[in-house]
Structures are given as structure tokens and as C-alpha cells.
DNA sequence: CGTCGCGTTGACGTTGATCAATAGGCGTGG
DNA sequence: CCACGCCTATTGATCAACGTCAACGCGACG
């Protein structure tokens, strides 16, 4: 994969915060409340598979996903890849105390982000307790997610991992009238997120389909047909 | 394992901060600089295998390890355990935005801690930018560690995991004149940290010993004899 | 209509888990 | 001091889950 620098023509930048605020209507979680951070947010768009930043890039910006899905990943020297997280709308990423980013961020689907200049965030953290609180909460939120994922990778079977993954996405995805929701990422992305191979992921999809636990419509649309039973599997 | 409430006679509590400050001489990392947090720190001691808090306990206190080693762990319903982290001296744990702790903390060896009342920390975060900064850095530090561990569990072989673990401990441990350092935790702890079984951990120890990569003196003292070559294994 | 990328499926191999036996360290009590 | 028991660690034999390698299907796109 060759590294291309992402440049964005000015026209893709609506007025500060405008789009971000528009998108805030559908937001639920505590860290997602309208906050003064949005005053300094700049909206950006990235296309499917476009890199948002690379390992080693200066961590000069923090981000929030407004629409679409972002993957954060790390790669070993020999090419093995681990997806650290999929970042969903209204969630933040790229917050760091390091000078440089330690993982890569890419758009899984076409994505709309809000970008915050780190320098300005740092200033606000000092001047506004509410922003300090927000940044702490954002980071704690990530921490909690990673802890869950750590248990998943360390102690769960392939089937449990995929089921947990599907239930997690079902929770936040919009389900259509027939119960289907979108799974925008590839089988490779799923495998690299769950610490498996694409073949194993594919086989377990087939097994779940055979057992009538799920239905598939193409490879990117799923419907859970026995969410209760599936939930039992993972606790 | 039965749950015992930890009570501490008053005599085990030296004057506020005294011991904490004494122990700060040997500290290196950025988040470890002497900070105003220590003003509200209370020193506590826990014995080997004693619980510091359980899953579901109110997260009313945050902690810093002064001496000894702490393990943070989570357990699945069927008893599978994942150790989230080993917390070394001068590192913090238990920081959370949740009401309740989501994992358990126990003393691996006899441990000296500093405990900070969450309410007072929250107040200081609002009133002192430097404390807000510190708390953000502490959380980011944990985040960074978990990201590394996620790649380890998702994409590394058993041998790579154990080697990474040994190199990590070698870095922070005190090495004696013959090159040995202490590994205070049991094989079970190591296995549950690395997502393996005790048998696999034991076999890889034996393999490393056979290949003259390490020497063992008992099961809790190790010396790395080819740290360079071992480091190549994990990148 | 051919090619390409992605996903699925099958056959087989390997890593690490499981089950089982033994060894070693350590505290307790005689 | 030794004997015993207990707990932890090691080692061996076997097994199963998941990975690897390979073939094929299928839809998108030129």
C-alpha cells in the first residue's frame, strides 16, 4: 500500500461546526453531549479507504466521527495487522498525549469528521473545567472499550468473538424493516479486528447462517434472528 | 475464592503523603513527576493476593503503586480470566469515569499504594489545570499500554507474547549482579495476562532455557542472556 | 465477455489447549 | 531434622480449534 497524502479542497469544509451541530441530533452517550469543543471543530470528509493519519504523523489534531465508520489499526513489521477499534458516529479518536500517533486511522466507508486542533483543545482544557472533564471522559471511554476487547482477544473463542462483534454493531446500527443492518467493513477488517483469519470469519458466518442465528443479504448486510440466544453465548 | 473485606489498622497508615513522597525518588516517566495529587494521597498497604477492589465496587478512589505489583483482571461467567494489566511502581490505576469499577485489582506481591479520593481529585481537576493535565496523561498512558497488549493478543504467537512480556519486565525490574530479576507473579498470572494456558507458558520457558535465551533460578527469577536476539523476535 | 477483487468452501497442517502424570518448593508438625 | 501434604510448575501424549493453502463462485467493471 503506497502512502498518499490526503489533501482537501476548501469547498469540502463547511462553516465551522455547522455540519457537526446538525449531526448532533442523533446522539445519546454521555461523552457526546453538545460541548464547547465543537466551537473549534472543523468538518472534514474522507472517502472510503482514505487515510486520516498514519503511524508517526504528528498528533496535531483530535477527531470526532460525525458520519461513517473509521478504523484504527496497527501493523507489525511482517504485515500482520490488528484493528484497534472501529469508531462509530459521535465517538472520538486520535486523542493522545504523545507527540506522534501510534496507530493509523482510515475511513472504512465515506466519512464525515470533526477535527479539533490539539493546541486549541489543550488551551481549553486548562481554561474550561468542562472541557477537561470531557477529554478525561473521552479517554476513559476508549479505555473501557479496549479493556473489553482485550478480554475478547485473550479469552474468547472465534465464534464468541464474531457474535460479540455482531451484537455490538447491531446495537448501534440502524436496522431496516426486515431486521437487516449494514456491516460496512470487509471480512479482512473483521478478521483483523477479532484476531482471526478471513477464512475463519467466513466459516463462522456460514455456521451462524446454517443454524438460523443470522441471515445474510450479500456480505455487508446482516440480520440477527436469535439475538437472545446469541447474547447468552457471550455471557 | 471467598470475598474478604480488606480492613487496615490505623498503624499501617503513615502520615499523609510521607511514604509516597519518599518513594518518588526513583521515578522517571512523565506522568510520575511529583504532582499536587500527592497532597491528597493516603498511603495503604496490601498483602500478597489481597483484593484492592472488586468488579462492581464503587469507584470512589484512584490509586498509584508505590512499591510491589498490582494485577487488574476481568473474569468471564465461566471462570476464564484475563489480566488486563500489571501495574508497576509509580504507575496509576483505577481511574474511571464510571460509577463502579469494571475490573478487579489485587496485590500480586505485598504492595504499598497511594490512594486518592475521587471526589477530591475531581475537585482538583476543575481547579488546577496541572491536575487535569495529569489525569489526562495518566489515562492516555493506560490507553497506550492496552493498545500494545491488544496487538499482542490479537496477532502474536505464544512465544512472541512471552518474550515481549519478559523484555517488558526486564526493562523496569531491578537486575542483580548476575543478571537476574524478579518475576513476582505465578505462571497462571502470566498465562492469564498473555491469553495462554500455564502449560504453554511453562513449555516456552523451557524452550527459551534450552536455547540459552534465558536462565531460570526457581520459577520467579529470570535472566535474559540474549536480549538482542529476543528483541528481534518481537519486531 | 473477460478480468479482478472479495468471499466462500474444502483439505490438510500447526499451534496451542486439554488431560494426565510427575517433580519440586515450602510450610507444618512430629 | 525429617516426613508429610499442599500447591505450583514441568513434562508428555493426545486433541481440537484455528490457520494455511488451494480451488472456485460471484458480482462489479471495463
Amino acid at each position: 500500500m503506497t502512502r498518499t497524502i490526503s489533501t482537501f479542497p476548501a469547498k469540502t469544509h463547511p462553516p465551522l461546526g455547522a455540519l457537526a451541530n446538525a449531526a448532533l441530533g442523533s446522539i445519546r452517550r454521555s461523552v457526546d453531549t453538545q460541548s464547547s469543543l465543537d466551537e473549534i471543530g472543523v468538518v472534514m470528509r474522507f472517502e472510503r479507504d482514505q487515510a486520516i493519519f498514519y503511524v508517526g504523523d504528528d498528533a496535531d489534531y483530535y477527531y470526532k466521527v460525525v458520519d461513517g465508520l473509521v478504523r484504527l489499526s496497527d501493523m507489525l513489521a511482517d504485515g500482520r495487522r490488528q484493528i484497534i477499534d472501529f469508531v462509530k458516529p459521535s465517538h472520538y479518536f486520535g486523542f493522545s498525549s504523545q507527540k506522534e500517533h501510534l496507530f493509523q486511522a482510515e475511513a472504512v466507508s465515506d466519512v464525515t469528521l470533526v477535527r479539533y486542533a490539539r493546541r486549541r483543545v489543550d488551551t481549553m482544557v486548562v481554561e474550561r473545567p468542562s472541557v477537561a472533564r470531557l477529554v478525561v471522559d473521552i479517554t476513559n471511554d476508549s479505555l473501557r472499550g479496549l479493556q473489553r476487547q482485550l478480554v475478547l482477544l485473550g479469552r474468547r473463542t472465534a465464534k464468541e468473538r464474531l457474535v460479540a462483534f455482531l451484537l455490538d454493531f447491531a446495537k448501534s446500527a440502524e436496522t431496516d424493516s426486515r431486521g437487516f443492518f449494514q456491516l460496512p467493513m470487509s471480512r479482512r477488517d473483521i478478521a483483523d479486528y477479532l484476531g482471526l483469519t478471513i477464512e475463519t470469519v467466513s466459516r463462522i458466518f456460514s455456521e451462524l447462517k446454517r443454524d438460523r442465528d443470522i441471515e445474510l443479504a450479500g456480505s455487508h448486510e446482516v440480520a440477527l434472528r436469535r439475538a437472545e440466544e446469541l447474547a447468552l453465548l457471550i455471557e
Side-chain angles (χ1 to χ4, degrees), chain A residues 5-70:
Chain A
I5 302 299
S6 325
T7 55
F8 295 90
K11 64 178 164 58
T12 64
H13 296 189
L16 297 195
L19 217 160
N21 293 344
L24 282 167
S26 63
I27 271 168
R28 280 187 219 96
R29 313 187 52 185
S30 66
V31 297
D32 299 323
T33 28
Q34 169 67 309
S35 79
S36 40
L37 251 197
D38 286 315
E39 294 171 18
I40 62 166
V42 177
V43 173
M44 307 185 74
R45 292 176 199 286
F46 290 80
E47 289 172 19
R48 189 173 188 286
D49 285 329
Q50 206 177 0
I52 298 160
F53 56 75
Y54 294 90
V55 174
D57 281 3
D58 283 342
D60 290 337
Y61 300 98
Y62 302 154
Y63 302 86
K64 178 170 73 175
V65 176
V66 173
D67 191 60
L69 189 71
V70 169

Side-chain angles (χ1 to χ4, degrees), chain A residues 111-218:
Chain A
V111 159
T112 305
L113 302 175
V114 189
R115 190 183 79 175
Y116 312 95
R118 175 178 181 161
R119 279 187 53 256
R120 303 188 67 186
V121 174
D122 287 353
T123 305
M124 290 177 81
V125 163
V126 169
E127 291 171 355
R128 302 201 211 175
S130 71
V131 173
R133 196 70 254 154
L134 178 68
V135 170
V136 168
D137 287 350
I138 287 169
T139 315
N140 263 307
D141 216 50
S142 310
L143 203 54
R144 197 151 33 91
L146 288 200
Q147 279 166 11
R148 271 179 52 94
Q149 194 67 2
L150 211 65
V151 177
L152 193 95
L153 294 181
R155 286 297 177 223
R156 288 197 182 280
T157 65
K159 186 174 180 183
E160 290 172 337
R161 293 182 203 190
L162 187 60
V163 167
F165 170 79
L166 290 174
L167 288 172
D168 181 55
F169 262 80
K171 220 181 322 160
S172 56
E174 293 170 20
T175 304
D176 73 15
S177 57
R178 299 152 316 146
F180 282 84
F181 60 91
Q182 290 294 127
L183 225 47
M185 72 293 290
S186 68
R187 292 291 187 264
R188 169 146 304 287
D189 280 348
I190 298 174
D192 287 349
Y193 181 57
L194 300 178
L196 302 169
T197 60
I198 53 173
E199 292 94 334
T200 297
V201 169
S202 188
R203 275 186 250 275
I204 295 174
F205 266 117
S206 301
E207 178 190 340
L208 292 171
K209 205 167 55 178
R210 175 173 52 70
D211 297 345
R212 304 259 184 283
D213 290 320
I214 64 169
E215 281 181 67
L216 288 177

